[in-house]
Amino acid sequence: MKNTRNFIFLTLLLIIGTAFEAPNDGFSDRYAETITAADLRTHLEILASDEYEGRSTGQKGQKMAAAYISGQFKANGIPELAAGGYYQTYPLIEKLPGAGTITAGTTTFRFGADFFYNSIIDDLDMQLTEVVFAGYSISDKKYDDYKNTDVKGKVVMLIDGEPRDKKGKPLFAYEPKSWKTDRQVKVAEARKRGAAAVFIICPDYEKTKTEMKHSIEKIAMHLDIPDTSKKSVSAPFYYITPAMAETILLNGGSKETLNTLIARIRNKKKPHSFTVKSPVHVDVTRQERKITAENVLGFVEGSDLKEEIIVVTAHYDHLGKEGDVVYNGADDDGSGTVAVIEMAQAFAKAKKEGHGPRRSMLFMTVSGEERGLLGSKWYTEYPVFPLGQTVCDLNIDMIGRVDEAHANDANYLYIIGADKMSSELQAINEEANKRKTKLVLDYKFNDEKDPNRFYYRSDHYNFVKKNVPVIFYFNGVHKDYHKETDEVSKIDFDAMEKRTRLVFYTAWELANRDKRIVVDKKGK
């Protein structure tokens, strides 16, 4: 009798315990299995085809991709939002490339023939009175072009590359080594010291211009927000011919030609910097036009915790096309985009069958990432759902390829940012992987000292700036990154299926756990 009573008591406890479990516990595998390599391929072969013209933000291909993604949301039974349907439309201003003059004294230099610039820099209309010849713009313990030199409010003129001897061998070993090759490091040094503009002398001007063709001809773009659109970056930089540099220096009173200056540095093996009084008027003002672009939103409403939102993002834009060359961006970020489509389908199916998430799920593909994280910036400035109710952002940007570091084993995924803001988020992701997908999680790029700084370079970072925890899922760069060769034929769909399922399992746990994850760290 005692054993019978104990049996009944234990049975009642089991029934009561079961009643307090979320209604969809134990169903994650059923819906994860709807995410298949075959379906991922089907979507990607469409979105990364030449027909979509590289999905450049604001252009025909991007609009076509938005229509395809929203069509998939609709087909999967995800309802339109009350305002805007599936779209969050945002305004942009394009700046058309190829304009401007730089005048020194009575000589006017023209874009293309005498100078060029990366189209992402801001317009500038400024009159300056002094030019500092700063050698190679190196500031190192062994070699300092800026020693006893004031460049604040002036033009800094520097030579591309590093000083070499007559045989072409470097004169010194510098730390960091990027002094040798990275123009951005040199520009950053000039900016840090207060330069108003930077002129980079290119010894082989035409070759450099050819190498940078894409950056020169790219249409610059920014959000049409009055309080930020006119904000200028410090010290715009321009690439100039040796002849232009020499004319400016001689007009300012220099007694030496550019070749003489280079020879002096080479022979004396020490820096040589000086200032000339040379009025310079930089007038780079480009034609503008207003356009719009779209973020595509699929919202699966939760049940008892529906006011809290899990966001899953990927950018569906890419680089567009140049003439007949189409940059299809199959991995970047067609792979993330179709992963979001498949995850949205899985959660919508779960809800339809009575096993939907407790928290609401927002599946959002954004545009404008390649132009400066513009779509995600717009969303985080003008969110459709309150950011205070946003639990986290799971951002998927490139999960379809294998990088060189893992060439012998595709069973890996880089995880970035998971530990930056919440002491719980990384553990949840790791547990989902341990129980379900068993990928090798690589945290190499999560290191704050990593020079690639990927944590700051995709759409999740706009959520970080609003105090929302994030995970960035990433397969690493490869030789086809940002090239026309980033094609569907090179995607590893089996690896992509497994990686997408990891994001799904993590999202499932986040959506259905009793307590919202804590935000107990500063991620910026």
Side-chain angles (χ1 to χ4, degrees):
M1 188 70 177
K2 184 178 179 181
N3 289 340
T4 302
R5 282 199 302 268
N6 286 345
F7 175 78
I8 294 171
F9 179 70
L10 290 171
T11 302
L12 286 171
L13 283 179
L14 181 61
I15 293 170
I16 292 169
T18 302
F20 282 95
E21 290 181 356
N24 51 3
D25 281 358
F27 288 97
S28 60
D29 289 343
R30 176 191 297 186
Y31 301 107
E33 288 170 2
T34 69
I35 299 169
T36 68
D39 287 346
L40 291 165
R41 178 187 290 274
T42 296
H43 295 307
L44 193 57
E45 285 181 342
I46 295 170
L47 286 171
S49 66
D50 286 355
E51 183 182 358
Y52 283 70
E53 300 182 351
R55 309 185 304 279
S56 180
T57 297
Q59 303 303 310
K60 174 186 173 184
Q62 179 254 299
K63 309 288 184 180
M64 291 173 63
Y68 180 83
I69 297 163
S70 61
Q72 292 302 309
F73 288 163
K74 184 175 182 178
N76 291 323
I78 299 175
E80 296 184 14
L81 297 173
Y86 295 105
Y87 291 168
Q88 183 191 40
T89 301
Y90 60 93
L92 293 164
I93 292 178
E94 285 188 329
K95 288 183 176 291
L96 305 185
T101 60
I102 296 176
T103 303
T106 60
T107 306
T108 298
F109 302 99
R110 303 198 177 277
F111 175 85
D114 305 301
F115 73 93
F116 67 85
Y117 51 87
N118 188 318
S119 68
I120 65 170
I121 70 168
D122 280 5
D123 288 357
L124 182 68
D125 188 350
M126 183 181 289
Q127 186 77 45
L128 300 162
T129 58
E130 292 182 291
V131 177
V132 177
F133 175 76
Y136 292 85
S137 189
I138 293 171
S139 184
D140 187 80
K141 291 180 180 179
K142 298 179 181 179
Y143 188 100
D144 190 356
D145 281 306
Y146 290 100
K147 187 176 182 179
N148 301 322
T149 302
D150 177 21
V151 304
K152 190 172 182 178
K154 305 171 186 178
V155 176
V156 168
M157 182 183 290
L158 62 93
I159 306 168
D160 197 15
E162 63 175 326
R164 295 175 178 271
D165 62 21
K166 291 181 179 180
K167 295 182 179 180
K169 294 182 178 180
L171 291 182
F172 302 101
Y174 312 99
E175 291 298 336
K177 294 179 180 179
S178 51
W179 288 123
K180 299 181 180 182
T181 57
D182 194 335
R183 298 164 184 139
Q184 293 291 340
V185 172
K186 295 186 175 189
V187 170
E189 185 66 31
R191 286 174 170 171
K192 183 177 74 174
R193 295 171 180 271
V198 179
F199 291 172
I200 302 172
I201 307 167
C202 301
D204 194 336
Y205 176 80
E206 291 300 327
K207 180 182 178 182
T208 306
K209 187 168 69 169
T210 299
E211 291 172 346
M212 296 186 63
K213 182 176 183 291
H214 182 76
S215 298
I216 299 167
E217 297 179 355
K218 186 176 182 180
I219 296 174
M221 187 179 292
H222 60 74
L223 294 172
D224 189 4
I225 304 175
D227 63 345
T228 62
S229 62
K230 300 301 180 183
K231 184 178 179 181
S232 297
V233 297
S234 56
F237 54 99
Y238 308 90
Y239 300 86
I240 68 174
T241 63
M244 176 175 168
E246 188 163 292
T247 298
I248 293 172
L249 292 173
L250 294 177
N251 284 348
S254 172
K255 303 300 182 182
E256 297 178 274
T257 66
L258 182 61
N259 284 337
T260 303
L261 290 169
I262 293 172
R264 171 200 279 265
I265 295 170
R266 180 179 64 235
N267 295 334
K268 293 184 176 292
K269 297 183 179 181
K270 65 180 183 179
H272 179 59
S273 301
F274 59 90
T275 302
V276 296
K277 298 281 187 180
S278 180
V280 175
H281 180 205
V282 180
D283 182 8
V284 176
T285 306
R286 288 163 284 181
Q287 181 182 349
E288 294 183 351
R289 65 186 179 197
K290 295 190 175 185
I291 62 170
T292 60
E294 295 78 27
N295 297 327
V296 188
L297 284 62
F299 184 68
V300 178
E301 189 175 52
S303 55
D304 60 314
L305 299 174
K306 66 182 180 181
E307 298 303 319
E308 297 179 10
I309 316 291
I310 310 294
V311 181
V312 182
T313 53
H315 74 89
Y316 70 97
D317 66 300
H318 195 54
L319 303 180
K321 65 176 185 175
E322 294 178 353
D324 295 330
V325 177
V326 181
Y327 293 79
N328 283 317
D331 190 30
D332 183 18
D333 183 30
S335 60
T337 300
V338 300
V340 171
I341 291 173
E342 281 292 285
M343 285 183 61
Q345 174 186 289
F347 272 90
K349 182 177 175 63
K351 180 172 181 176
K352 182 179 179 181
E353 295 178 356
H355 308 298
R358 298 176 68 189
R359 291 179 178 85
S360 296
M361 299 293 305
L362 176 60
F363 298 96
M364 180 167 64
T365 60
V366 299
S367 54
E369 192 271 354
E370 299 288 3
R371 300 306 185 92
L373 315 184
L374 300 180
S376 56
K377 178 175 175 59
W378 183 267
Y379 180 86
T380 55
E381 292 296 327
Y382 304 98
V384 176
F385 301 98
L387 292 179
Q389 293 298 106
T390 301
V391 176
C392 66
D393 172 48
L394 306 180
N395 184 45
I396 314 169
D397 192 350
M398 298 172 58
I399 59 164
R401 294 284 295 272
V402 178
D403 69 357
E404 289 186 4
H406 301 85
N408 297 322
D409 188 358
N411 191 53
Y412 78 97
L413 191 59
Y414 290 108
I415 303 297
I416 303 171
D419 64 340
K420 303 295 188 190
M421 300 185 69
S422 172
S423 58
E424 296 176 330
L425 186 54
Q426 181 164 298
I428 290 169
N429 186 65
E430 288 180 344
E431 181 62 23
N433 181 62
K434 180 180 178 181
R435 290 189 296 109
K436 301 295 184 180
T437 47
K438 296 178 173 56
L439 290 159
V440 175
L441 302 184
D442 193 327
Y443 293 98
K444 173 185 176 181
F445 297 130
N446 194 52
D447 187 342
E448 278 296 314
K449 295 180 181 179
D450 181 74
N452 295 285
R453 294 173 63 80
F454 289 123
Y455 177 58
Y456 306 92
R457 289 172 52 184
S458 191
D459 293 296
H460 60 276
Y461 194 65
N462 280 321
F463 286 89
V464 169
K465 289 188 285 187
K466 298 297 183 179
N467 211 36
V468 176
V470 303
I471 302 179
F472 174 20
Y473 298 91
F474 180 49
N475 58 215
V477 294
H478 43 75
K479 64 181 181 180
D480 300 306
Y481 174 68
H482 278 195
K483 293 185 172 62
E484 67 272 22
T485 49
D486 183 5
E487 296 283 5
V488 175
S489 60
K490 298 180 180 181
I491 296 293
D492 185 332
F493 285 99
D494 290 333
M496 190 171 155
E497 173 190 286
K498 202 170 185 181
R499 294 163 179 172
T500 305
R501 288 185 180 185
L502 171 59
V503 186
F504 170 85
Y505 281 120
T506 301
W508 186 275
E509 171 61 25
L510 290 165
N512 291 301
R513 68 200 311 262
D514 289 332
K515 292 183 179 180
R516 174 176 175 169
I517 59 170
V518 297
V519 182
D520 53 1
K521 298 182 182 181
K522 293 182 179 180
K524 290 180 285 186

